[in-house]
Amino acid sequence: MPSQPVTAVLIGAGQRGAEAYAPYALQHPDQLRFVAVAEPDPQRRARFAAQHNIPHARQYSTWEDLLDEPQMADAALICTQDALHTAPALAALRAGYHILLEKPLAPRLEECEAIVTTSEALGRQLHVGHVMRYTRHYQLLREIVQSGVLGEVVDVDHRENVAFWHMVHSYVRGNWRNSALSSPMILAKCCHDLDMLPWVLGQRCQRLYSVGNLLHFRAENAPPGAPERCLDGCPAAQTCPYYAPYLYLEMKPFWHNYAETAPRGFARWATRQWVEHPWLVRLLSAVYPDLRQITDYRGWPLTVLALDPTPENLLAALRTGPYGRCVYHCDNDVVDHQVVSMLFSAGSTVTLTMHGHSHVEHRSTRIEGTRGRLLAMLGNGGGWIQVEEHRTLTRRTYDTSPPAGQGHGGGDMGLMAHFVTCVRAGGNPPEVRQTAREALESHRLAFAAEESRLTGRVFNFE
């Protein structure tokens, strides 16, 4: 007789909880089933409940109401905003749940430590949303490095290239724009990378120094006469790459790779017509399937602006909401570029560069060893790893492109599969405890990098 699915509650039915992790239950109902949800937004709460057949009695507006009830599931997924992680995580652990906590653990180091030590003391599993570990790309990269084919690792140059539109969406206009409201950008965006690098190399960081700042998205860089909001008659509307209607309306096809199959001029014309003459686009869409791909796309980041991202709803959101603000007149303070320089325990030098002005969203890695080198790239358009050996001069290239439609290079679903397997096995096995401790170490490096950036301090770790 097949085993029953793992049961779970979701705390925070936003982009990560409802749209990245929870679809695993819809794709694998024999493995995972959601039985309750806590979400303050009534529309998001109702939509998630409908998708997962959750009765009204198990729909809660706050996590406190849900966790005040007797334990009702094996596990809890906690996907609230960064500053709201600690309290529900600790409460869920104490209530008996194994938890998957979206990264970062918490915006302060002492809170991160409290979550990890509490999970260990209570024997509850703690899984952190470091999804890059669960991609085929980084698992193969780690396998290659640890096989010894590169010899001793001498130097690593790893880059987190944040696309210009993603930078302004999330870190200038969006929820992660201000470190006091969320967390420093090196933690919010790069705790993935600071977790992955020691894991791939099999080494620990011994010394760290960091520099960086907010260079561009500042009031003094605003175009002359730029208003507070893009739709209030901006004189740079036809030239500014961050003009909100351009990003959320004209760039729409590029978010689902439509641009690879259609000329840019046609795509931009179609999206303008979609806003100005929807009746014409509906008529043409019946005849031209390619055009229908544009009009039908309703995914991220559009769903951040409106649950139903019609042209009318998107324009209304841009007129009044945070995503319609001029990028030079926001309350953002997180950096738009930062470099972290590290010395690792086996003598390898490692640099992590994060910047928010890339034309294309991707991570790139260059590893130089005593017997060869490795080049790698993973982004929305696919992934590859190339290995070149000094003595034989051979070059091998591996395609690491994720399955179509899977977020974070396939890491979202990979993490969920691992999480379900571990929860089903029960207890708090050494592998899970070690991974949680390594997640804590990545956060320690991120906090150190931010302090180093602000003070010039060089950190030496035992």
Side-chain angles (χ1 to χ4, degrees), residues 134-280:
Y134 301 92
T135 64
R136 178 170 174 264
H137 181 87
Y138 286 110
Q139 288 177 348
L140 178 59
L141 196 153
R142 179 176 187 258
E143 180 183 323
I144 292 169
V145 170
Q146 299 203 2
S147 74
V149 68
L150 300 178
E152 294 181 86
V153 174
V154 178
D155 182 69
V156 179
D157 177 19
H158 180 74
R159 300 178 62 86
E160 166 66 283
N161 306 287
V162 184
F164 68 98
W165 58 266
H166 188 183
M167 177 72 201
V168 298
H169 171 76
S170 294
Y171 305 102
V172 178
R173 294 175 170 130
N175 292 328
W176 293 271
R177 67 191 182 275
N178 188 290
S179 57
L181 299 175
S182 56
S183 54
M185 187 163 178
I186 198 66
L187 176 66
K189 194 75 182 79
C190 292
C191 65
H192 282 306
D193 308 276
L194 292 168
D195 175 71
M196 181 271 297
L197 286 166
W199 177 69
V200 164
L201 296 176
Q203 302 181 41
R204 296 188 66 185
C205 177
Q206 287 191 330
R207 187 178 301 171
L208 178 151
Y209 176 71
S210 183
V211 294
N213 55 55
L214 175 58
L215 176 71
H216 183 68
F217 300 106
R218 307 164 65 95
E220 58 266 31
N221 292 325
E228 296 289 321
R229 307 190 67 83
C230 291
L231 286 171
D232 289 346
C234 180
Q238 299 303 314
T239 58
C240 178
Y242 312 108
Y243 182 61
Y246 165 72
L247 293 184
Y248 295 106
L249 297 171
E250 291 188 33
M251 274 195 68
K252 182 179 180 181
F254 299 98
W255 286 319
H256 63 110
N257 296 325
Y258 179 78
E260 295 178 2
T261 60
R264 289 194 178 197
F266 173 75
R268 295 186 66 178
W269 173 86
T271 47
R272 285 197 182 104
Q273 300 305 313
W274 185 62
V275 176
E276 299 170 8
H277 306 294
W279 63 269
L280 175 60

Side-chain angles (χ1 to χ4, degrees), residues 296-372:
D296 288 349
Y297 181 69
R298 298 191 173 203
W300 183 86
L302 304 181
T303 49
V304 177
L305 278 68
L307 280 180
D308 182 17
T310 64
E312 297 79 11
N313 289 343
L314 289 173
L315 285 171
L318 295 182
R319 289 191 184 99
T320 61
Y323 296 95
R325 293 179 295 175
C326 172
V327 295
Y328 304 102
H329 295 309
C330 292
D331 60 338
N332 60 302
D333 66 1
V334 300
V335 301
D336 59 5
H337 67 130
Q338 186 168 352
V339 178
V340 184
S341 299
M342 295 169 280
L343 177 67
F344 273 48
S345 52
S348 307
T349 52
V350 179
T351 56
L352 165 63
T353 299
M354 182 284 303
H355 74 104
H357 298 273
S358 179
H359 187 64
V360 178
E361 182 100 351
H362 68 290
R363 283 177 166 90
S364 56
T365 311
R366 181 186 185 114
I367 301 177
E368 302 284 359
T370 56
R371 301 185 69 87

Side-chain angles (χ1 to χ4, degrees), residues 395-446:
R395 174 184 295 172
R396 295 188 300 278
T397 302
Y398 306 88
D399 183 0
T400 60
S401 299
Q406 290 204 10
H408 282 100
D412 292 344
M413 292 298 98
L415 171 60
M416 286 303 297
H418 178 73
F419 174 65
V420 168
T421 298
C422 292
V423 171
R424 176 167 282 161
N428 190 18
E431 177 201 356
V432 174
R433 296 199 303 272
Q434 178 180 340
T435 302
R437 279 282 165 182
E438 289 170 353
L440 176 59
E441 185 64 19
S442 75
H443 286 54
R444 195 184 310 278
L445 295 179

Side-chain angles (χ1 to χ4, degrees), residues 2-18:
S3 58
Q4 295 296 309
V6 168
T7 55
V9 301
L10 177 65
I11 296 175
Q15 298 295 310
R16 296 300 297 160

